[in-house]
Amino acid sequence: MRMVTDYQELLEEILLAVQPHIGKGKVADYIPALAQVDPNQFAFCIRTLDGREYGVGAVDTAFSIQSISKVFSLVLALHELGGQIWQRVGREPSGNPFNSLVQLEYEQGIPRNPFINAGALVVTDWLLGCMGDPAQALLEWLQRESGSAAVSIDTEVAESEWQHRHRNAALAHFMKSCGNLQAPVDSVLRAYFAHCSLRMSCRELARAGLLLANHGLSPISGERVLTRSQAKEVNALMLTCGTYDAAGDFAFRVGLPGKSGVGGGILAIIPNLMSIAVWSPALDAKGNSLAGVEALECFTTLTGISVF
């Protein structure tokens, strides 16, 4: 552990340390539009609550954030609807793959948490009930929070997910049969794929995540997006459920609330201090960025900063 006076120097040291891991693993080829991404890329960006920013690698390269969008759709749902959303989705780790059908059947169509696919579909359904186009609303909100009009929805990725929607459609139809989806299944799927196809850079992602380090108050816009209690809930869910069925290992190695996506990104939060975004497209067997997890583990090990 060391006293850090220059995060930029530290990030450059981490970049050297993780270099052997960059490109190892495999990209998410089950979504054809993601299969073409060069795996030999890496970015690490920090945004602190006092406005400082540090980065190494391709911090301004946009990528598909995929399941990281589930954090932001949950934030939007809590902002708009409050705690009633927990009537239809749980708050427990799943211990199963993010697209598991088996657990959903055992539990009568109530997803374990909002970060597995079934849970995110329920959150999207809630949002469809209170706004016409939740993906567009989320896009506009993230553009404001990141201070960047470049944040966009990748329509090619969204269409690719739609064309290969069968497992997610099965989850949605099963929940519909249990009375846990209100909107038409195709409407839920389209909105879900659209927000999972958001494209952001690590710099934009770190800025957008900063409100979770600031107890729900956006340091970018000044808006009270979440109550302190709601921000605590989101961070807790990121820690326990945010990295698919590797959440325990991520907490063990990294010790931070984090949410990954199969596009290779990870958003991590250090309450009262900073948000961190890392990206490297090659994934480990659990679907998390291999080099990204290594980099975050290096960061918390070298600095001694974690939530524990």
Side-chain angles (χ1 to χ4, degrees):
M1 187 178 76
R2 71 174 74 160
M3 182 70 67
V4 178
T5 57
D6 184 353
Y7 283 112
Q8 188 61 40
E9 182 179 308
L10 176 68
L11 294 192
E12 289 166 6
E13 181 179 337
I14 289 171
L15 176 59
L16 286 175
V18 302
Q19 203 70 43
H21 302 283
I22 297 172
K24 290 187 176 178
K26 59 182 293 187
V27 297
D29 54 7
Y30 67 93
I31 301 172
L34 297 182
Q36 309 306 314
V37 178
D38 178 5
N40 297 300
Q41 300 181 85
F42 179 84
F44 194 128
C45 189
I46 288 171
R47 177 79 176 197
T48 65
L49 283 179
D50 60 8
R52 291 173 293 151
E53 204 164 79
Y54 307 90
V56 290
V59 294
D60 292 309
T61 298
F63 60 93
S64 182
I65 68 170
Q66 290 294 304
S67 285
I68 300 172
S69 75
K70 296 171 184 176
V71 172
F72 299 122
S73 63
L74 177 61
V75 167
L76 191 60
L78 286 169
H79 178 73
E80 296 290 330
L81 297 159
Q84 65 177 313
I85 67 169
W86 304 121
Q87 297 166 9
R88 292 166 48 200
V89 62
R91 303 186 292 269
E92 293 291 337
S94 69
N96 284 304
F98 57 88
N99 57 359
S100 172
L101 285 157
V102 175
Q103 191 170 65
L104 195 61
E105 184 168 8
Y106 282 147
E107 298 179 355
Q108 292 77 52
I110 305 296
R112 275 287 181 96
N113 65 70
F115 294 155
I116 55 175
N117 288 17
L121 287 166
V122 170
V123 172
T124 302
D125 185 58
W126 271 114
L127 290 171
L128 278 166
C130 68
M131 55 184 63
D133 188 344
Q136 183 64 29
L138 194 57
L139 170 63
E140 292 172 2
W141 178 69
L142 284 171
Q143 287 174 335
R144 291 193 301 272
E145 287 300 309
S146 66
S148 174
V151 178
S152 63
I153 293 173
D154 189 325
T155 55
E156 180 186 354
V157 172
E159 184 60 28
S160 184
E161 294 196 41
W162 172 257
Q163 294 299 330
H164 297 81
R165 65 188 179 278
H166 309 298
R167 176 62 70 103
N168 285 311
L171 293 168
H173 280 294
F174 184 80
M175 290 189 293
K176 185 77 167 176
S177 75
C178 294
N180 201 22
L181 283 188
Q182 307 304 315
V185 165
D186 283 359
S187 297
V188 176
L189 290 172
R190 286 286 192 184
Y192 171 67
F193 295 145
H195 73 67
C196 284
S197 300
L198 282 159
R199 284 178 61 81
M200 302 178 74
S201 68
C202 275
R203 191 185 304 278
E204 293 161 343
L205 187 57
R207 291 176 180 176
L210 201 56
L211 70 93
L212 291 170
N214 200 36
H215 308 291
L217 179 65
S218 168
I220 305 294
S221 66
E223 179 187 5
R224 168 57 71 181
V225 180
L226 299 175
T227 66
R228 288 182 68 95
S229 181
Q230 288 171 334
K232 175 201 70 177
E233 292 166 0
V234 175
N235 281 329
L237 285 166
M238 289 173 71
L239 180 68
T240 58
C241 310
T243 45
Y244 310 124
D245 49 334
D249 187 62
F250 186 84
F252 180 87
R253 292 176 61 188
V254 177
L256 297 175
K259 182 71 195 85
S260 61
V262 295
I266 305 174
L267 173 67
I269 304 299
I270 305 179
N272 301 312
L273 188 59
M274 67 177 68
S275 64
I276 303 170
V278 297
W279 172 61
S280 193
L283 310 177
D284 63 21
K286 299 293 189 180
N288 300 307
S289 171
L290 193 151
V293 175
E294 290 283 344
L296 288 168
E297 182 179 16
C298 279
F299 180 86
T300 56
T301 299
L302 290 173
T303 63
I305 302 171
S306 78
V307 298
F308 300 109

